[in-house]
Amino acid sequence: MTWARSNGSSTANDEDSRMGVIRAEEAVRLAEQNDRAVITVAGHSSNVGECAELLAMLGLDVARRQRAI
């Protein structure tokens, strides 16, 4: 594979930079989605035990939400 160079900078660096931004945006989106899901499960659970069990079954990360608060 060859890379085009312009003024000493490669298009590979530009592409890596764009991918980094995309990955960061996706991480934020997934964290927000996780938070909404945790809140929804908690709101529909009968008690703490049921909530914990449902969160574990769904693979939701409640610890991330607690760190953010």
Side-chain angles (χ1 to χ4, degrees):
M1 177 188 279
T2 60
W3 298 103
R5 295 194 180 265
S6 172
N7 297 332
S9 67
S10 71
T11 57
N13 287 338
D14 293 340
E15 188 173 324
D16 288 345
S17 177
R18 284 192 301 268
M19 288 304 295
V21 169
I22 291 169
R23 285 186 188 106
E25 290 171 348
E26 180 68 4
V28 168
R29 189 189 68 74
L30 288 174
E32 291 171 349
Q33 183 179 18
N34 183 81
D35 290 349
R36 287 191 305 273
V38 167
I39 291 168
T40 299
V41 169
H44 289 86
S45 299
S46 300
N47 56 48
V48 175
E50 180 183 58
C51 182
E53 185 177 340
L54 289 170
L55 290 173
M57 286 178 11
L58 295 170
L60 296 173
D61 185 9
V62 73
R64 180 182 355 201
R65 178 154 178 76
Q66 289 174 341
R67 286 191 301 266
I69 294 176

